[in-house]
Amino acid sequence: MSLVPARNGANAPPTRAAQLTQDIFKTSTKGKVPTGYAQEIAISEQSFRSLHRDVQSQQAAGKKRKREGKGDSGVTYGANAYKGPWARYEEQRIDSDSGEEVEMSGDESGDEVVVYEEDEIAPVPEKGGLKGTGYADISADKETSTFEGSQEFDYQGRTYMHVPQDLDVDLTSEFENLNLRCYHPKKLIHTFRQASSKAPGGSKDAHEKAITALKFFPSSGHLLLSAAADGKVKLWDVYHNRELLRSFSGHTKSVVDIDFTPDGTKFISASYDRQMKVWDTETGKCLGRYSTGSTPHVVRWQPEQRAGQEFLAGMHDNKIVQFDTRISSDKDAAGDKRNPVQEYDHHLGPVNSITFCDENRRFITTSDDKSLRAWEYNIPVPIKLISDPSMFALTSSATHPTKPCVLLQSSDNTIQVYNTGEKIKQNRKKDFRGHNNAGYAIDVDVSPDGGIVCSGDSAGWVCFWDWKTCKMWHKIRASEEGKAVVGVAWHPRESSKVVTGDVGGVVKYWD
């Protein structure tokens, strides 16, 4: 009977891992070119761990940390003192430049000072100047105003501020007594043009560049204020001759927004030259200049103050600032600025619109951060935040004249409605579609009776919707060249008169 050797112990065959370790550097010499070949196509976990441990042990063999010398057993203190088995390991540090480990040793007494080589520190770059921006400070004495009309005073010595009484439209009585029923306009009745001897036909368009804002005179609407990218603000007569009455010049860059005080005696203009200026509507005099160093995007007077004492401005630096025109812009005794008197700083993007609501005790702001925030006036903490991933930036707004709600122009080609009663929330049932506004800050407005919503369009149309059904009633081709209609305003006293302005500087009046 033959004995079979055991498969374990000394007689066991070599392990697969050992065989792989021995043959790992062998190459195939069958061909003309020596080539390597794979030992195993799929290696087992046990073989991998064994090979990994072998590699780690080979790498760690020559990198064992060294101890400092044991020292002289006859010396107790000082240099070369006896340390024995308690000797420290030599310090190791990665050099900052080469990345190699440098061994550094020192004795316990600390007589030898170890000096580390530090990285070179790049110098702090200097603060950029204003050379390439064109934002140099402008002179404060450049505001001018010119009367452009045919007659500055009437036979009784009254200026254009007097509300005309010789019309078939009542511009002075209370709005509740008018019983207006509004309809959408159908035809063009006038194009506002300014006289020019150089232009063909003796007149030219209302502005040389794109219209940015259109505002009717509060309550009566017998005057029209227009602002454009040419840096000028112009006042027009809506009735009688419908001529240019006065031009206001004082901004070096495009005018972004304008707003009348509730009594109409003053208005404010905001521009890309970072200035906000208050003007006298009648005389054209500049009454005040305000700036925070940032570009204003929207300005609104406080509606409760008829003469216009405080206003809000939405800025490019994400802030809403509150100014008081009764306070000078100089610094006080402590060196702090007196204006602005309040800052509302919670938005994460440039502010687009400001809308007062709830009997003017609150206001709603929208921003490029795709959010809506509600504030109590004079309290810089938002009382409501509406922000949703499906929201788009809300660019302009309009207050409904009879309902407690606000209409907001959304960048996804819709007009959304938000209730402003006890709870500020979106009205999902109200959604106006059918126009294109992406890429433009197009105005939205509501008829005086609240029954019709109107808005411009990026293709040159003016669109009208029914408030109740949200269906589009009518579209008017307001720009023959297909230029975007960015300014829209409904006359506060007329049933079907709307003014429009496009990016070509043309202002048209519809009925």
Side-chain angles (χ1 to χ4, degrees):
M1 181 177 181
S2 60
L3 297 176
V4 178
R7 299 292 294 176
N8 55 2
N11 296 326
T15 61
R16 178 63 174 164
Q19 184 179 355
L20 288 175
T21 306
Q22 294 174 3
D23 300 340
I24 194 168
F25 297 110
K26 287 184 178 181
T27 57
S28 173
T29 57
K30 293 180 180 179
K32 295 182 179 180
V33 180
T35 58
Y37 58 91
Q39 298 290 341
E40 271 187 315
I41 296 177
I43 190 170
S44 64
E45 184 179 359
Q46 182 179 1
S47 301
F48 172 77
R49 288 183 178 178
S50 177
L51 289 170
H52 187 57
R53 281 194 294 269
D54 293 342
V55 172
Q56 283 184 330
S57 61
Q58 292 175 5
Q59 291 178 351
K63 291 188 176 182
K64 188 174 181 180
R65 289 189 66 185
K66 297 180 180 179
R67 289 183 180 270
E68 297 177 351
K70 294 184 178 180
D72 188 0
S73 58
V75 180
T76 307
Y77 299 104
N80 201 23
Y82 180 70
K83 302 182 186 70
W86 301 281
R88 296 183 303 175
Y89 285 101
E90 292 180 347
E91 295 182 5
Q92 289 185 349
R93 175 178 175 271
I94 296 178
D95 184 70
S96 58
D97 293 332
S98 62
E100 299 178 355
E101 291 186 353
V102 180
E103 296 184 357
M104 308 188 73
S105 61
D107 56 352
E108 291 183 349
S109 63
D111 295 335
E112 185 178 348
V113 180
V114 178
V115 179
Y116 293 106
E117 184 179 345
E118 298 291 343
D119 291 336
E120 294 184 1
I121 300 176
V124 180
E126 296 181 359
K127 188 176 180 180
L130 301 175
K131 294 180 180 179
T133 60
Y135 287 138
D137 295 335
I138 64 170
S139 174
D141 301 325
K142 285 187 177 180
E143 295 87 5
T144 59
S145 178
T146 307
F147 180 76
E148 307 278 358
S150 58
Q151 188 177 1
E152 189 170 0
F153 302 96
D154 62 3
Y155 68 99
Q156 291 185 345
R158 298 173 300 192
T159 64
Y160 52 74
M161 295 294 291
H162 174 69
V163 180
Q165 307 288 332
D166 56 344
L167 305 172
D168 56 354
V169 180
D170 188 1
L171 302 180
T172 57
S173 63
E174 294 294 332
F175 181 78
E176 290 76 9
N177 301 329
L178 295 179
N179 295 324
L180 273 182
R181 178 173 175 79
C182 296
Y183 306 90
H184 60 78
K186 296 182 179 179
K187 62 180 180 179
L188 175 67
I189 60 174
H190 184 69
T191 300
F192 291 94
R193 302 180 69 87
Q194 56 179 330
S196 175
S197 58
K198 298 180 180 180
S203 63
K204 59 181 180 180
D205 293 335
H207 287 272
E208 297 177 0
K209 294 185 179 180
I211 302 295
T212 56
L214 295 170
K215 297 286 183 181
F216 277 106
F217 193 86
S219 182
S220 64
H222 70 286
L223 298 176
L224 174 67
L225 196 66
S226 65
D230 57 6
K232 294 182 180 180
V233 181
K234 296 182 179 181
L235 190 67
W236 306 83
D237 183 18
V238 176
Y239 298 99
H240 299 117
N241 297 329
R242 290 177 180 152
E243 61 181 351
L244 174 62
L245 295 176
R246 186 176 288 275
S247 60
F248 305 84
S249 302
H251 291 292
T252 59
K253 295 184 182 296
S254 170
V255 179
V256 183
D257 196 20
I258 49 177
D259 191 38
F260 274 112
T261 57
D263 62 358
T265 57
K266 296 182 290 186
F267 70 89
I268 186 171
S269 62
S271 170
Y272 276 114
D273 62 6
R274 306 185 181 187
Q275 297 288 323
M276 293 167 283
K277 299 187 178 184
V278 179
W279 306 80
D280 188 298
T281 309
E282 184 174 8
T283 64
K285 181 182 178 182
C286 182
L287 304 177
R289 309 170 188 89
Y290 305 90
S291 178
T292 63
S294 180
T295 303
H297 286 184
V298 57
V299 284
R300 289 291 179 271
W301 290 100
Q302 218 291 339
E304 287 298 308
Q305 302 164 354
R306 295 281 303 167
Q309 297 166 352
E310 295 181 354
F311 68 89
L312 297 176
M315 313 301 289
H316 185 75
D317 60 359
N318 314 345
K319 296 179 181 179
I320 301 106
V321 290
Q322 178 180 330
F323 285 90
D324 192 336
T325 58
R326 297 165 293 185
I327 301 175
S328 65
S329 300
D330 301 333
K331 296 182 179 180
D332 55 13
D336 298 329
K337 277 192 174 183
R338 299 175 181 176
N339 259 331
V341 296
Q342 189 66 273
E343 284 188 357
Y344 306 84
D345 186 10
H346 278 76
H347 275 294
L348 305 177
V351 180
N352 290 331
S353 71
I354 300 174
T355 313
F356 280 90
C357 61
D358 194 15
E359 298 180 355
N360 303 322
R361 293 176 298 184
R362 300 175 179 175
F363 63 93
I364 292 174
T365 60
T366 62
S367 168
D368 279 348
D369 62 4
K370 304 178 182 179
S371 71
L372 179 146
R373 298 170 198 259
W375 315 74
E376 293 276 358
Y377 190 72
N378 267 328
I379 300 177
V381 179
I383 59 174
K384 182 74 173 182
L385 167 63
I386 299 177
S387 181
D388 189 79
S390 63
M391 287 179 64
F392 285 74
L394 305 171
T395 56
S396 61
S397 63
T399 306
H400 196 280
T402 59
K403 305 286 185 181
C405 58
V406 174
L407 289 85
L408 295 168
Q409 188 86 260
S410 178
S411 296
D412 61 345
N413 300 330
T414 62
I415 298 174
Q416 300 177 0
V417 180
Y418 285 81
N419 295 330
T420 58
E422 295 181 359
K423 291 185 178 180
I424 299 175
K425 61 180 181 179
Q426 184 179 0
N427 188 348
R428 302 281 182 179
K429 297 180 180 179
K430 298 289 184 183
D431 193 56
F432 302 92
R433 298 173 178 268
H435 68 305
N436 294 319
N437 63 357
Y440 294 91
I442 293 177
D443 287 342
V444 60
D445 205 359
V446 190
S447 62
D449 66 347
I452 303 176
V453 177
C454 64
S455 169
D457 182 89
S458 61
W461 299 89
V462 184
C463 305
F464 300 90
W465 294 267
D466 180 25
W467 166 257
K468 290 184 179 180
T469 62
C470 298
K471 291 183 179 179
M472 183 181 291
W473 269 3
H474 192 56
K475 288 175 71 174
I476 297 177
R477 186 74 171 182
S479 177
E480 298 176 359
E481 300 176 359
K483 296 181 179 179
V485 177
V486 293
V488 176
W490 201 297
H491 195 286
R493 293 275 175 167
E494 298 277 3
S495 60
S496 61
K497 289 187 177 177
V498 175
V499 66
T500 62
D502 59 25
V503 295
V506 180
V507 179
K508 295 182 178 180
Y509 198 32
W510 304 83
D511 189 7

